[in-house]
Structures are given as C-alpha cells and as structure tokens.
Short mmCIF file of all heavy atoms in Angstrom, two decimals:
data_model
loop_
_atom_site.label_atom_id
_atom_site.label_comp_id
_atom_site.label_asym_id
_atom_site.label_seq_id
_atom_site.Cartn_x
_atom_site.Cartn_y
_atom_site.Cartn_z
N MET A 475 -57.24 69.49 13.37
CA MET A 475 -56.10 68.61 13.11
C MET A 475 -54.87 69.17 13.83
O MET A 475 -54.64 70.37 13.79
CB MET A 475 -55.86 68.52 11.59
CG MET A 475 -54.75 67.54 11.23
SD MET A 475 -54.54 67.38 9.44
CE MET A 475 -55.97 66.42 9.03
N PRO A 476 -54.10 68.31 14.47
CA PRO A 476 -52.91 68.81 15.17
C PRO A 476 -51.90 69.39 14.19
O PRO A 476 -51.81 68.97 13.04
CB PRO A 476 -52.35 67.56 15.86
CG PRO A 476 -52.97 66.40 15.16
CD PRO A 476 -54.27 66.86 14.60
N VAL A 477 -51.15 70.36 14.66
CA VAL A 477 -50.13 70.99 13.82
C VAL A 477 -48.84 70.18 13.95
O VAL A 477 -48.15 70.25 14.96
CB VAL A 477 -49.91 72.46 14.24
CG1 VAL A 477 -48.79 73.07 13.42
CG2 VAL A 477 -51.20 73.24 14.08
N THR A 478 -48.56 69.40 12.93
CA THR A 478 -47.32 68.62 12.91
C THR A 478 -46.69 68.75 11.53
O THR A 478 -47.38 69.05 10.55
CB THR A 478 -47.56 67.12 13.18
OG1 THR A 478 -48.53 66.65 12.23
CG2 THR A 478 -48.07 66.87 14.58
N THR A 479 -45.42 68.51 11.46
CA THR A 479 -44.70 68.50 10.18
C THR A 479 -44.01 67.15 10.05
O THR A 479 -43.27 66.74 10.94
CB THR A 479 -43.66 69.63 10.12
OG1 THR A 479 -44.33 70.88 10.29
CG2 THR A 479 -42.94 69.62 8.78
N HIS A 480 -44.27 66.48 8.94
CA HIS A 480 -43.64 65.19 8.67
C HIS A 480 -42.43 65.42 7.78
O HIS A 480 -42.47 66.24 6.86
CB HIS A 480 -44.64 64.25 7.98
CG HIS A 480 -45.81 63.93 8.84
ND1 HIS A 480 -45.90 62.79 9.61
CD2 HIS A 480 -46.96 64.62 9.08
CE1 HIS A 480 -47.04 62.78 10.27
NE2 HIS A 480 -47.70 63.88 9.97
N HIS A 481 -41.36 64.67 8.04
CA HIS A 481 -40.11 64.80 7.31
C HIS A 481 -39.85 63.54 6.50
O HIS A 481 -40.02 62.43 7.01
CB HIS A 481 -38.93 65.00 8.27
CG HIS A 481 -38.99 66.27 9.05
ND1 HIS A 481 -39.98 66.56 9.97
CD2 HIS A 481 -38.16 67.35 9.06
CE1 HIS A 481 -39.76 67.75 10.49
NE2 HIS A 481 -38.67 68.26 9.97
N TYR A 482 -39.41 63.71 5.25
CA TYR A 482 -39.04 62.58 4.39
C TYR A 482 -37.71 62.97 3.73
O TYR A 482 -37.62 64.03 3.10
CB TYR A 482 -40.11 62.33 3.32
CG TYR A 482 -41.49 62.15 3.90
CD1 TYR A 482 -42.30 63.26 4.14
CD2 TYR A 482 -41.98 60.89 4.23
CE1 TYR A 482 -43.57 63.11 4.69
CE2 TYR A 482 -43.25 60.73 4.78
CZ TYR A 482 -44.04 61.85 5.00
OH TYR A 482 -45.29 61.70 5.55
N ASN A 483 -36.71 62.12 3.88
CA ASN A 483 -35.35 62.49 3.47
C ASN A 483 -34.76 61.44 2.53
O ASN A 483 -35.01 60.24 2.70
CB ASN A 483 -34.49 62.62 4.73
CG ASN A 483 -33.05 62.92 4.40
OD1 ASN A 483 -32.21 62.03 4.37
ND2 ASN A 483 -32.78 64.19 4.14
N ASN A 484 -34.00 61.91 1.54
CA ASN A 484 -33.32 60.96 0.64
C ASN A 484 -31.80 61.07 0.71
O ASN A 484 -31.10 60.58 -0.17
CB ASN A 484 -33.80 61.15 -0.80
CG ASN A 484 -33.35 62.48 -1.40
OD1 ASN A 484 -32.72 63.29 -0.72
ND2 ASN A 484 -33.69 62.70 -2.66
N GLY A 485 -31.30 61.76 1.73
CA GLY A 485 -29.85 61.93 1.87
C GLY A 485 -29.36 63.22 1.24
O GLY A 485 -28.25 63.67 1.54
N GLU A 486 -30.14 63.82 0.33
CA GLU A 486 -29.77 65.09 -0.32
C GLU A 486 -30.68 66.23 0.11
O GLU A 486 -30.22 67.34 0.38
CB GLU A 486 -29.89 64.94 -1.85
CG GLU A 486 -28.89 63.99 -2.46
CD GLU A 486 -29.05 63.90 -3.98
OE1 GLU A 486 -30.05 64.40 -4.54
OE2 GLU A 486 -28.17 63.32 -4.60
N ILE A 487 -31.97 65.93 0.11
CA ILE A 487 -32.97 66.95 0.45
C ILE A 487 -34.03 66.31 1.36
O ILE A 487 -34.13 65.08 1.44
CB ILE A 487 -33.67 67.52 -0.81
CG1 ILE A 487 -34.32 66.39 -1.63
CG2 ILE A 487 -32.72 68.34 -1.64
CD1 ILE A 487 -35.18 66.89 -2.79
N THR A 488 -34.79 67.17 2.01
CA THR A 488 -35.89 66.70 2.86
C THR A 488 -37.19 67.35 2.42
O THR A 488 -37.23 68.57 2.23
CB THR A 488 -35.61 67.05 4.34
OG1 THR A 488 -34.43 66.38 4.76
CG2 THR A 488 -36.77 66.65 5.24
N ILE A 489 -38.20 66.54 2.23
CA ILE A 489 -39.55 67.06 2.01
C ILE A 489 -40.19 67.27 3.37
O ILE A 489 -40.17 66.37 4.23
CB ILE A 489 -40.42 66.07 1.21
CG1 ILE A 489 -39.88 65.86 -0.20
CG2 ILE A 489 -41.88 66.57 1.15
CD1 ILE A 489 -40.67 64.80 -0.98
N LEU A 490 -40.76 68.44 3.56
CA LEU A 490 -41.59 68.71 4.73
C LEU A 490 -43.04 68.69 4.27
O LEU A 490 -43.39 69.35 3.28
CB LEU A 490 -41.26 70.07 5.34
CG LEU A 490 -39.79 70.35 5.66
CD1 LEU A 490 -39.65 71.72 6.30
CD2 LEU A 490 -39.21 69.28 6.57
N TRP A 491 -43.88 67.95 4.97
CA TRP A 491 -45.31 67.92 4.65
C TRP A 491 -46.10 68.31 5.90
O TRP A 491 -45.94 67.70 6.96
CB TRP A 491 -45.75 66.53 4.18
CG TRP A 491 -47.21 66.45 3.87
CD1 TRP A 491 -47.91 67.24 3.01
CD2 TRP A 491 -48.16 65.56 4.43
NE1 TRP A 491 -49.24 66.89 3.00
CE2 TRP A 491 -49.41 65.85 3.86
CE3 TRP A 491 -48.08 64.52 5.37
CZ2 TRP A 491 -50.58 65.16 4.20
CZ3 TRP A 491 -49.22 63.83 5.70
CH2 TRP A 491 -50.46 64.15 5.12
N GLN A 492 -46.94 69.32 5.74
CA GLN A 492 -47.76 69.81 6.85
C GLN A 492 -49.22 69.45 6.58
O GLN A 492 -49.91 70.16 5.83
CB GLN A 492 -47.59 71.33 6.99
CG GLN A 492 -46.14 71.74 7.25
CD GLN A 492 -45.98 73.23 7.32
OE1 GLN A 492 -46.28 73.86 8.35
NE2 GLN A 492 -45.53 73.82 6.23
N PRO A 493 -49.69 68.35 7.15
CA PRO A 493 -51.03 67.87 6.82
C PRO A 493 -52.15 68.85 7.15
O PRO A 493 -53.20 68.84 6.49
CB PRO A 493 -51.16 66.58 7.64
CG PRO A 493 -50.04 66.58 8.61
CD PRO A 493 -48.96 67.45 8.05
N HIS A 494 -51.94 69.72 8.13
CA HIS A 494 -53.01 70.66 8.49
C HIS A 494 -53.17 71.75 7.43
O HIS A 494 -54.18 72.47 7.43
CB HIS A 494 -52.71 71.29 9.85
CG HIS A 494 -51.41 72.02 9.93
ND1 HIS A 494 -50.19 71.38 9.97
CD2 HIS A 494 -51.12 73.34 9.94
CE1 HIS A 494 -49.21 72.27 10.01
NE2 HIS A 494 -49.75 73.46 9.99
N ILE A 495 -52.18 71.87 6.52
CA ILE A 495 -52.26 72.86 5.44
C ILE A 495 -52.74 72.23 4.14
O ILE A 495 -53.34 72.89 3.30
CB ILE A 495 -50.87 73.53 5.24
CG1 ILE A 495 -50.48 74.32 6.48
CG2 ILE A 495 -50.88 74.44 4.02
CD1 ILE A 495 -49.08 74.93 6.41
N CYS A 496 -52.47 70.92 3.96
CA CYS A 496 -52.81 70.20 2.73
C CYS A 496 -54.30 70.31 2.43
O CYS A 496 -55.14 70.07 3.30
CB CYS A 496 -52.40 68.74 2.89
SG CYS A 496 -52.81 67.69 1.47
N ILE A 497 -54.61 70.68 1.19
CA ILE A 497 -56.02 70.78 0.77
C ILE A 497 -56.43 69.57 -0.08
O ILE A 497 -57.50 69.57 -0.68
CB ILE A 497 -56.29 72.09 0.00
CG1 ILE A 497 -55.36 72.20 -1.22
CG2 ILE A 497 -56.13 73.30 0.91
CD1 ILE A 497 -55.70 73.38 -2.15
N HIS A 498 -55.58 68.56 -0.11
CA HIS A 498 -55.88 67.29 -0.78
C HIS A 498 -56.29 67.50 -2.24
O HIS A 498 -57.23 66.89 -2.73
CB HIS A 498 -56.94 66.50 0.01
CG HIS A 498 -56.52 66.30 1.44
ND1 HIS A 498 -55.51 65.43 1.80
CD2 HIS A 498 -56.93 66.90 2.58
CE1 HIS A 498 -55.34 65.50 3.12
NE2 HIS A 498 -56.19 66.38 3.62
N SER A 499 -55.55 68.35 -2.90
CA SER A 499 -55.81 68.62 -4.31
C SER A 499 -55.45 67.42 -5.19
O SER A 499 -55.96 67.29 -6.29
CB SER A 499 -54.99 69.83 -4.76
OG SER A 499 -53.60 69.51 -4.70
N GLY A 500 -54.52 66.59 -4.71
CA GLY A 500 -54.08 65.44 -5.51
C GLY A 500 -53.07 65.78 -6.58
O GLY A 500 -52.67 64.92 -7.36
N ILE A 501 -52.63 67.02 -6.63
CA ILE A 501 -51.68 67.44 -7.67
C ILE A 501 -50.37 66.68 -7.54
O ILE A 501 -49.79 66.24 -8.54
CB ILE A 501 -51.48 68.97 -7.62
CG1 ILE A 501 -52.73 69.66 -8.15
CG2 ILE A 501 -50.23 69.39 -8.40
CD1 ILE A 501 -52.73 71.16 -7.99
N CYS A 502 -49.91 66.48 -6.33
CA CYS A 502 -48.64 65.76 -6.14
C CYS A 502 -48.79 64.30 -6.58
O CYS A 502 -47.92 63.76 -7.26
CB CYS A 502 -48.18 65.86 -4.69
SG CYS A 502 -49.38 65.31 -3.46
N ALA A 503 -49.88 63.66 -6.21
CA ALA A 503 -50.08 62.25 -6.56
C ALA A 503 -50.26 62.06 -8.06
O ALA A 503 -49.76 61.09 -8.64
CB ALA A 503 -51.29 61.70 -5.81
N ARG A 504 -50.95 62.98 -8.71
CA ARG A 504 -51.13 62.87 -10.16
C ARG A 504 -49.84 63.20 -10.91
O ARG A 504 -49.53 62.59 -11.93
CB ARG A 504 -52.25 63.80 -10.62
CG ARG A 504 -53.64 63.28 -10.29
CD ARG A 504 -54.71 64.02 -11.08
NE ARG A 504 -54.74 65.45 -10.78
CZ ARG A 504 -55.36 66.00 -9.74
NH1 ARG A 504 -56.02 65.23 -8.90
NH2 ARG A 504 -55.35 67.29 -9.54
N GLY A 505 -49.07 64.13 -10.39
CA GLY A 505 -47.87 64.56 -11.08
C GLY A 505 -46.68 63.64 -10.90
O GLY A 505 -45.84 63.53 -11.80
N LEU A 506 -46.59 62.99 -9.74
CA LEU A 506 -45.42 62.13 -9.46
C LEU A 506 -45.88 61.01 -8.52
O LEU A 506 -45.52 60.95 -7.34
CB LEU A 506 -44.30 62.97 -8.82
CG LEU A 506 -42.91 62.35 -8.77
CD1 LEU A 506 -42.39 61.95 -10.15
CD2 LEU A 506 -41.94 63.32 -8.10
N HIS A 507 -46.68 60.12 -9.09
CA HIS A 507 -47.35 59.09 -8.28
C HIS A 507 -46.38 58.12 -7.65
O HIS A 507 -46.65 57.54 -6.58
CB HIS A 507 -48.38 58.34 -9.15
CG HIS A 507 -49.30 57.50 -8.34
ND1 HIS A 507 -49.22 56.12 -8.28
CD2 HIS A 507 -50.32 57.84 -7.53
CE1 HIS A 507 -50.16 55.66 -7.47
NE2 HIS A 507 -50.84 56.68 -7.01
N GLN A 508 -45.21 57.90 -8.30
CA GLN A 508 -44.24 56.97 -7.73
C GLN A 508 -43.77 57.45 -6.35
O GLN A 508 -43.45 56.64 -5.48
CB GLN A 508 -43.00 56.85 -8.63
CG GLN A 508 -43.28 56.68 -10.10
CD GLN A 508 -43.31 58.02 -10.82
OE1 GLN A 508 -44.21 58.82 -10.59
NE2 GLN A 508 -42.33 58.26 -11.68
N VAL A 509 -43.71 58.76 -6.17
CA VAL A 509 -43.23 59.33 -4.91
C VAL A 509 -44.39 59.62 -3.96
O VAL A 509 -44.32 59.34 -2.76
CB VAL A 509 -42.41 60.61 -5.18
CG1 VAL A 509 -42.06 61.32 -3.88
CG2 VAL A 509 -41.14 60.26 -5.97
N PHE A 510 -45.47 60.20 -4.51
CA PHE A 510 -46.60 60.63 -3.67
C PHE A 510 -47.80 59.70 -3.91
O PHE A 510 -48.53 59.86 -4.89
CB PHE A 510 -46.99 62.08 -4.01
CG PHE A 510 -45.88 63.07 -3.81
CD1 PHE A 510 -45.11 63.50 -4.89
CD2 PHE A 510 -45.58 63.57 -2.56
CE1 PHE A 510 -44.08 64.41 -4.72
CE2 PHE A 510 -44.55 64.48 -2.37
CZ PHE A 510 -43.79 64.90 -3.47
N ASP A 511 -47.96 58.73 -3.04
CA ASP A 511 -49.04 57.76 -3.20
C ASP A 511 -49.86 57.71 -1.91
O ASP A 511 -49.44 57.09 -0.92
CB ASP A 511 -48.45 56.38 -3.51
CG ASP A 511 -49.52 55.32 -3.69
OD1 ASP A 511 -50.71 55.62 -3.48
OD2 ASP A 511 -49.15 54.19 -4.04
N PRO A 512 -51.02 58.35 -1.90
CA PRO A 512 -51.81 58.43 -0.67
C PRO A 512 -52.27 57.07 -0.14
O PRO A 512 -52.64 56.96 1.03
CB PRO A 512 -53.03 59.28 -1.08
CG PRO A 512 -52.60 60.01 -2.30
CD PRO A 512 -51.61 59.13 -3.00
N ALA A 513 -52.23 56.04 -0.98
CA ALA A 513 -52.68 54.71 -0.53
C ALA A 513 -51.56 53.92 0.14
O ALA A 513 -51.80 52.84 0.67
CB ALA A 513 -53.22 53.92 -1.72
N ARG A 514 -50.35 54.47 0.12
CA ARG A 514 -49.19 53.74 0.66
C ARG A 514 -48.81 54.34 2.02
O ARG A 514 -49.08 55.50 2.30
CB ARG A 514 -48.04 53.89 -0.34
CG ARG A 514 -46.77 53.12 -0.02
CD ARG A 514 -45.73 53.40 -1.08
NE ARG A 514 -45.46 54.83 -1.18
CZ ARG A 514 -45.05 55.43 -2.29
NH1 ARG A 514 -44.83 54.74 -3.39
NH2 ARG A 514 -44.85 56.73 -2.32
N ARG A 515 -48.18 53.58 2.87
CA ARG A 515 -47.63 54.09 4.12
C ARG A 515 -46.16 53.72 4.20
O ARG A 515 -45.86 52.53 4.15
CB ARG A 515 -48.40 53.54 5.32
CG ARG A 515 -49.82 54.06 5.43
CD ARG A 515 -49.85 55.58 5.73
NE ARG A 515 -51.21 56.10 5.76
CZ ARG A 515 -51.87 56.57 4.70
NH1 ARG A 515 -51.28 56.61 3.52
NH2 ARG A 515 -53.10 57.02 4.83
N PRO A 516 -45.26 54.67 4.34
CA PRO A 516 -45.54 56.11 4.29
C PRO A 516 -45.92 56.54 2.87
O PRO A 516 -45.47 55.93 1.91
CB PRO A 516 -44.22 56.76 4.72
CG PRO A 516 -43.17 55.75 4.37
CD PRO A 516 -43.81 54.40 4.52
N TRP A 517 -46.74 57.55 2.79
CA TRP A 517 -47.30 57.92 1.48
C TRP A 517 -46.28 58.62 0.59
O TRP A 517 -46.46 58.64 -0.62
CB TRP A 517 -48.56 58.77 1.66
CG TRP A 517 -48.36 60.22 1.98
CD1 TRP A 517 -47.99 60.76 3.17
CD2 TRP A 517 -48.54 61.33 1.08
NE1 TRP A 517 -47.92 62.12 3.07
CE2 TRP A 517 -48.26 62.49 1.81
CE3 TRP A 517 -48.92 61.44 -0.26
CZ2 TRP A 517 -48.33 63.76 1.24
CZ3 TRP A 517 -48.99 62.71 -0.83
CH2 TRP A 517 -48.71 63.86 -0.08
N ILE A 518 -45.22 59.17 1.19
CA ILE A 518 -44.14 59.76 0.41
C ILE A 518 -42.93 58.82 0.46
O ILE A 518 -42.45 58.49 1.55
CB ILE A 518 -43.75 61.15 0.94
CG1 ILE A 518 -44.92 62.12 0.77
CG2 ILE A 518 -42.50 61.68 0.22
CD1 ILE A 518 -44.67 63.52 1.32
N ASP A 519 -42.48 58.38 -0.72
CA ASP A 519 -41.29 57.53 -0.82
C ASP A 519 -40.36 58.15 -1.84
O ASP A 519 -40.60 58.08 -3.05
CB ASP A 519 -41.68 56.11 -1.24
CG ASP A 519 -40.47 55.18 -1.27
OD1 ASP A 519 -39.32 55.68 -1.30
OD2 ASP A 519 -40.68 53.96 -1.28
N MET A 520 -39.31 58.79 -1.35
CA MET A 520 -38.42 59.57 -2.21
C MET A 520 -37.48 58.72 -3.04
O MET A 520 -36.76 59.25 -3.89
CB MET A 520 -37.63 60.57 -1.36
CG MET A 520 -38.50 61.57 -0.62
SD MET A 520 -37.54 62.67 0.42
CE MET A 520 -36.77 63.75 -0.79
N SER A 521 -37.47 57.42 -2.83
CA SER A 521 -36.53 56.55 -3.55
C SER A 521 -36.92 56.36 -5.02
O SER A 521 -36.14 55.83 -5.80
CB SER A 521 -36.42 55.19 -2.86
OG SER A 521 -37.63 54.46 -2.99
N HIS A 522 -38.12 56.81 -5.40
CA HIS A 522 -38.61 56.54 -6.75
C HIS A 522 -38.37 57.66 -7.76
O HIS A 522 -38.83 57.58 -8.90
CB HIS A 522 -40.11 56.23 -6.70
CG HIS A 522 -40.41 55.00 -5.91
ND1 HIS A 522 -39.99 53.75 -6.29
CD2 HIS A 522 -41.07 54.83 -4.73
CE1 HIS A 522 -40.39 52.86 -5.40
NE2 HIS A 522 -41.03 53.49 -4.44
N ALA A 523 -37.68 58.73 -7.35
CA ALA A 523 -37.38 59.81 -8.30
C ALA A 523 -36.14 60.55 -7.80
O ALA A 523 -35.79 60.47 -6.62
CB ALA A 523 -38.56 60.77 -8.43
N ASP A 524 -35.49 61.28 -8.71
CA ASP A 524 -34.31 62.03 -8.28
C ASP A 524 -34.73 63.35 -7.63
O ASP A 524 -35.88 63.78 -7.73
CB ASP A 524 -33.35 62.25 -9.45
CG ASP A 524 -33.94 63.06 -10.59
OD1 ASP A 524 -34.57 64.11 -10.32
OD2 ASP A 524 -33.80 62.65 -11.75
N SER A 525 -33.77 63.97 -6.97
CA SER A 525 -34.08 65.17 -6.17
C SER A 525 -34.64 66.30 -7.01
O SER A 525 -35.55 67.02 -6.57
CB SER A 525 -32.84 65.64 -5.41
OG SER A 525 -32.44 64.66 -4.46
N ASN A 526 -34.12 66.50 -8.22
CA ASN A 526 -34.62 67.59 -9.06
C ASN A 526 -36.07 67.36 -9.46
O ASN A 526 -36.89 68.30 -9.47
CB ASN A 526 -33.76 67.76 -10.30
CG ASN A 526 -32.47 68.49 -9.99
OD1 ASN A 526 -32.38 69.18 -8.98
ND2 ASN A 526 -31.48 68.33 -10.84
N THR A 527 -36.40 66.12 -9.81
CA THR A 527 -37.79 65.81 -10.18
C THR A 527 -38.72 66.05 -9.00
O THR A 527 -39.81 66.63 -9.15
CB THR A 527 -37.88 64.33 -10.64
OG1 THR A 527 -36.97 64.13 -11.72
CG2 THR A 527 -39.29 63.98 -11.07
N ILE A 528 -38.30 65.64 -7.83
CA ILE A 528 -39.11 65.84 -6.62
C ILE A 528 -39.27 67.33 -6.33
O ILE A 528 -40.37 67.82 -6.04
CB ILE A 528 -38.47 65.11 -5.43
CG1 ILE A 528 -38.56 63.60 -5.63
CG2 ILE A 528 -39.12 65.54 -4.12
CD1 ILE A 528 -37.75 62.78 -4.64
N ARG A 529 -38.17 68.06 -6.47
CA ARG A 529 -38.21 69.50 -6.20
C ARG A 529 -39.20 70.21 -7.13
O ARG A 529 -39.99 71.06 -6.70
CB ARG A 529 -36.79 70.07 -6.40
CG ARG A 529 -36.53 71.37 -5.71
CD ARG A 529 -35.09 71.83 -5.94
NE ARG A 529 -34.16 71.27 -4.99
CZ ARG A 529 -33.13 70.47 -5.31
NH1 ARG A 529 -32.89 70.16 -6.56
NH2 ARG A 529 -32.32 70.01 -4.39
N GLU A 530 -39.18 69.84 -8.40
CA GLU A 530 -40.10 70.47 -9.36
C GLU A 530 -41.56 70.16 -9.01
O GLU A 530 -42.44 71.01 -9.15
CB GLU A 530 -39.79 70.00 -10.78
CG GLU A 530 -38.49 70.59 -11.34
CD GLU A 530 -38.46 72.12 -11.25
OE1 GLU A 530 -39.41 72.75 -11.75
OE2 GLU A 530 -37.51 72.66 -10.67
N GLN A 531 -41.85 68.94 -8.57
CA GLN A 531 -43.22 68.59 -8.22
C GLN A 531 -43.67 69.32 -6.95
O GLN A 531 -44.79 69.81 -6.88
CB GLN A 531 -43.35 67.07 -8.02
CG GLN A 531 -44.79 66.63 -7.78
CD GLN A 531 -45.69 66.98 -8.94
OE1 GLN A 531 -45.40 66.67 -10.09
NE2 GLN A 531 -46.82 67.63 -8.65
N VAL A 532 -42.79 69.41 -5.99
CA VAL A 532 -43.14 70.08 -4.73
C VAL A 532 -43.49 71.54 -4.99
O VAL A 532 -44.40 72.10 -4.34
CB VAL A 532 -41.98 69.93 -3.72
CG1 VAL A 532 -42.11 70.93 -2.57
CG2 VAL A 532 -41.94 68.50 -3.19
N LYS A 533 -42.82 72.17 -5.96
CA LYS A 533 -43.12 73.57 -6.29
C LYS A 533 -44.57 73.76 -6.74
O LYS A 533 -45.11 74.86 -6.67
CB LYS A 533 -42.21 74.05 -7.44
CG LYS A 533 -40.81 74.37 -7.04
CD LYS A 533 -40.07 74.87 -8.30
CE LYS A 533 -38.58 74.96 -8.07
NZ LYS A 533 -37.86 75.19 -9.35
N LYS A 534 -45.20 72.69 -7.24
CA LYS A 534 -46.56 72.79 -7.78
C LYS A 534 -47.63 72.62 -6.71
O LYS A 534 -48.82 72.72 -7.02
CB LYS A 534 -46.75 71.75 -8.89
CG LYS A 534 -45.83 72.00 -10.08
CD LYS A 534 -45.91 70.87 -11.08
CE LYS A 534 -44.90 71.08 -12.22
NZ LYS A 534 -44.72 69.88 -13.05
N CYS A 535 -47.25 72.32 -5.50
CA CYS A 535 -48.24 72.17 -4.41
C CYS A 535 -48.96 73.50 -4.20
O CYS A 535 -48.32 74.50 -3.88
CB CYS A 535 -47.54 71.72 -3.14
SG CYS A 535 -48.62 71.67 -1.70
N PRO A 536 -50.27 73.55 -4.39
CA PRO A 536 -50.97 74.83 -4.36
C PRO A 536 -51.15 75.42 -2.96
O PRO A 536 -51.40 76.62 -2.83
CB PRO A 536 -52.34 74.49 -4.97
CG PRO A 536 -52.54 73.04 -4.67
CD PRO A 536 -51.17 72.42 -4.71
N SER A 537 -51.05 74.60 -1.94
CA SER A 537 -51.34 75.08 -0.58
C SER A 537 -50.09 75.46 0.20
O SER A 537 -50.20 76.12 1.24
CB SER A 537 -52.08 73.99 0.19
OG SER A 537 -51.20 72.90 0.42
N GLY A 538 -48.93 75.00 -0.26
CA GLY A 538 -47.71 75.19 0.53
C GLY A 538 -47.52 74.10 1.57
O GLY A 538 -46.61 74.19 2.40
N ALA A 539 -48.35 73.06 1.53
CA ALA A 539 -48.20 71.96 2.50
C ALA A 539 -46.90 71.21 2.30
O ALA A 539 -46.34 70.66 3.24
CB ALA A 539 -49.38 71.00 2.38
N LEU A 540 -46.44 71.16 1.05
CA LEU A 540 -45.16 70.52 0.74
C LEU A 540 -44.10 71.60 0.59
O LEU A 540 -44.32 72.62 -0.06
CB LEU A 540 -45.25 69.74 -0.57
CG LEU A 540 -46.09 68.48 -0.60
CD1 LEU A 540 -46.15 67.93 -2.02
CD2 LEU A 540 -45.55 67.42 0.35
N SER A 541 -42.94 71.34 1.15
CA SER A 541 -41.79 72.22 0.92
C SER A 541 -40.53 71.37 0.99
O SER A 541 -40.58 70.21 1.42
CB SER A 541 -41.76 73.37 1.93
OG SER A 541 -41.71 72.86 3.26
N ILE A 542 -39.43 71.96 0.57
CA ILE A 542 -38.15 71.26 0.52
C ILE A 542 -37.13 72.05 1.32
O ILE A 542 -37.07 73.27 1.22
CB ILE A 542 -37.65 71.19 -0.95
CG1 ILE A 542 -38.59 70.38 -1.83
CG2 ILE A 542 -36.22 70.65 -1.01
CD1 ILE A 542 -38.30 68.91 -1.91
N VAL A 543 -36.33 71.33 2.08
CA VAL A 543 -35.17 71.95 2.71
C VAL A 543 -33.95 71.09 2.36
O VAL A 543 -34.09 69.89 2.10
CB VAL A 543 -35.32 72.10 4.23
CG1 VAL A 543 -36.42 73.07 4.58
CG2 VAL A 543 -35.56 70.75 4.90
N PRO A 544 -32.77 71.68 2.33
CA PRO A 544 -31.58 70.90 1.99
C PRO A 544 -31.21 69.93 3.10
O PRO A 544 -31.55 70.13 4.27
CB PRO A 544 -30.50 71.96 1.81
CG PRO A 544 -31.05 73.24 2.22
CD PRO A 544 -32.49 73.09 2.54
N GLY A 545 -30.50 68.90 2.73
CA GLY A 545 -29.95 67.97 3.70
C GLY A 545 -31.01 67.18 4.44
O GLY A 545 -32.05 66.83 3.89
N ASP A 546 -30.74 66.92 5.72
CA ASP A 546 -31.65 66.06 6.49
C ASP A 546 -32.74 66.85 7.19
O ASP A 546 -33.54 66.29 7.93
CB ASP A 546 -30.87 65.20 7.49
CG ASP A 546 -30.16 66.05 8.53
OD1 ASP A 546 -30.37 67.27 8.59
OD2 ASP A 546 -29.36 65.46 9.29
N GLY A 547 -32.80 68.15 6.96
CA GLY A 547 -33.90 68.95 7.47
C GLY A 547 -33.79 69.31 8.94
O GLY A 547 -34.69 69.91 9.50
N GLU A 548 -32.67 68.98 9.56
CA GLU A 548 -32.51 69.28 10.99
C GLU A 548 -31.84 70.64 11.16
O GLU A 548 -31.13 71.10 10.30
CB GLU A 548 -31.68 68.21 11.69
CG GLU A 548 -32.35 66.85 11.65
CD GLU A 548 -33.75 66.84 12.28
OE1 GLU A 548 -33.97 67.62 13.24
OE2 GLU A 548 -34.60 66.08 11.84
S1 SF4 B 710 -50.17 68.95 -3.90
FE1 SF4 B 710 -50.03 69.80 -1.84
S2 SF4 B 710 -52.12 70.33 -1.31
FE2 SF4 B 710 -52.24 68.91 -3.01
S3 SF4 B 710 -52.45 66.87 -2.06
FE3 SF4 B 710 -50.25 67.22 -2.44
S4 SF4 B 710 -49.53 68.07 -0.50
FE4 SF4 B 710 -51.74 68.28 -0.48
#
C-alpha cells in the first residue's frame, strides 16, 4: 500500500489518517460512528462531533494510524 497521509479538518484540529498503518480494528467506527464511518466517502466527517470528543476517540486507535494536530495541519 502506498504511504500517504489523509487530512481531515474542522477548523480547530486536523485528524491525520495513515491507511498503511491502520489495522482495521474498527475501534474508531464502533466508538464514534458518526465521525468514523467506513461505508461513507469521505469516511471521516468531523462535523458530527466536537473536537474534544474526536480527540478522545483518536487516542484509542491501537495502531497509531489516527493522530491529531492543531489547526489545519499544515
Ligand atoms: S481505530 Fe485506528 S487502527 Fe482501528 S480502524 Fe480506526 S484508524 Fe484503523
């Protein structure tokens, strides 16, 4: 799989998702399905939860595929 990082931003924080690291545990989708929905494109939609809720869910990613950076991630 190519090494790429996808960015998702809500104006406050940016989620970085690295698909080559993701082990597809489903923890993000089960924990916060409104934001992390693998059946949707884009599969991450940050408009459905506040930044703190998203941050707490991202911390539970077991592989490190999900991470958070402040602002627009640039
Ligand atoms: S919690 Fe992390 S490892 Fe599991 S599916 Fe989500 S992004 Fe992938």
Side-chain angles (χ1 to χ4, degrees):
M475 184 177 286
V477 176
T478 55
T479 301
H480 297 263
H481 296 64
Y482 307 87
N483 177 263
N484 68 358
E486 293 181 349
I487 57 173
T488 298
I489 296 175
L490 308 182
W491 179 55
Q492 301 178 80
H494 58 287
I495 295 176
C496 178
I497 57 172
H498 305 288
S499 65
I501 288 173
C502 55
R504 285 195 298 277
L506 194 57
H507 193 254
Q508 314 92 292
V509 172
F510 301 98
D511 180 354
R514 184 182 57 208
R515 292 294 177 271
W517 80 284
I518 296 178
D519 183 342
M520 299 177 73
S521 69
H522 297 295
D524 61 47
S525 295
N526 282 340
T527 303
I528 292 170
R529 201 179 274 118
E530 288 306 306
Q531 185 61 51
V532 163
K533 283 182 192 169
K534 296 173 184 167
C535 174
S537 69
L540 290 174
S541 58
I542 296 270
V543 294
D546 63 8
E548 297 302 328

